[in-house]
């Protein structure tokens, strides 16, 4: 069985030591199942959904995976390299791109798509635009819930809500840049996502 993890720097494991990223931890666990699952980490730092679509044929479809994990949005919702007040990828385009990624995953042979919402960036009242970025991430997460919850073959893993339920101060799972995961964050992602995927793929 083959799982492709398709996403951005959170999937890639940006900033984590070798072997400490959540996908790396999950890869080791899935290899120990009675029917081992091979994992391809197709996370690329800085990617939006538009970047993902451009590389999807090579990074996902050619593998003919049994399952795909998808998480994009922190870059789509950001305001880096754009005019003030406009996210890198607009809300409607983001949801349309996610829908295309999901459908192409199914057409490539996946029987299950694990879809994750995004954690909120850290509160940074001294940084211009930080609260707008946080609000945009929340809106994009709500769009994922409203659009894809309950759809056949899709397992929605609501990381935003899981983190808010578990951490009184969600910023404690983030690295100093306020976006990427620290060791605690990677460990929690592994527990919340990796074990959910293992239970599902183990039947």
């Amino acid at each position: 069985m083959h799982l492709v993890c398709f996403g951005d720097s959170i999937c890639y494991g940006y900033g984590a030591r070798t072997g400490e990223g959540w996908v790396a931890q999950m890869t080791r666990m899935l290899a120990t199942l009675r029917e081992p699952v091979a994992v391809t980490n197709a996370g690329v730092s800085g990617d939006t959904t538009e970047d993902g679509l451009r590389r999807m044929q090579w990074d996902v479809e050619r593998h003919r995976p049994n399952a795909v994990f998808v998480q994009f949005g922190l870059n789509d919702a950001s305001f880096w390299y754009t005019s003030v007040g406009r996210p890198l990828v607009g809300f409607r385009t983001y949801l349309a791109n996610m829908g295309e990624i999901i459908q192409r995953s199914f057409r490539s042979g996946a029987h299950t798509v694990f879809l994750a919402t995004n954690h909120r960036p850290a509160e940074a009242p001294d940084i211009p635009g930080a609260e707008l970025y946080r609000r945009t991430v929340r809106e994009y997460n709500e769009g994922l819930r409203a659009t894809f919850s309950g759809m056949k073959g899709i397992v929605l893993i609501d990381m935003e809500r899981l983190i808010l339920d578990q951490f009184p101060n969600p910023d404690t799972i983030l690295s100093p840049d306020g976006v990427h995961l620290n060791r605690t964050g990677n460990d929690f992602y592994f527990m919340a996502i990796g074990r959910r995927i293992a239970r599902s793929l183990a039947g």
Side-chain angles (χ1 to χ4, degrees), residues 64-131:
R64 305 293 297 172
N66 304 94
V68 178
F69 168 84
V70 179
Q71 186 185 41
F72 287 95
L74 289 175
N75 295 309
D76 296 74
S78 76
F79 297 82
W80 307 312
Y81 314 120
T82 70
S83 300
V84 174
R86 294 187 178 183
L88 206 56
V89 177
F91 178 75
R92 293 182 183 276
T93 302
Y94 168 70
L95 291 179
N97 289 347
M98 290 295 278
E100 184 174 348
I101 288 170
I102 290 166
Q103 291 306 312
R104 286 175 62 177
S105 295
F106 285 132
R107 289 199 298 269
S108 72
H111 56 75
T112 305
V113 172
F114 300 95
L115 175 64
T117 61
N118 295 281
H119 58 265
R120 296 182 188 179
E123 292 189 44
D126 297 331
I127 299 177
E131 182 52 39

Side-chain angles (χ1 to χ4, degrees), residues 121-135 138 169 171 174 176-178:
E123 292 189 44
D126 297 331
I127 299 177
E131 182 52 39
L132 180 59
Y133 178 36
R134 282 168 54 83
R135 185 166 68 246
R138 293 196 299 268
N169 178 8
D171 291 2
L174 302 178
D177 67 18

Side-chain angles (χ1 to χ4, degrees), residues 190-202:
F190 163 62
M191 289 187 291
I193 297 175
R195 293 179 180 179
R196 177 75 175 273
I197 289 176
R199 289 196 301 270
S200 179
L201 295 184

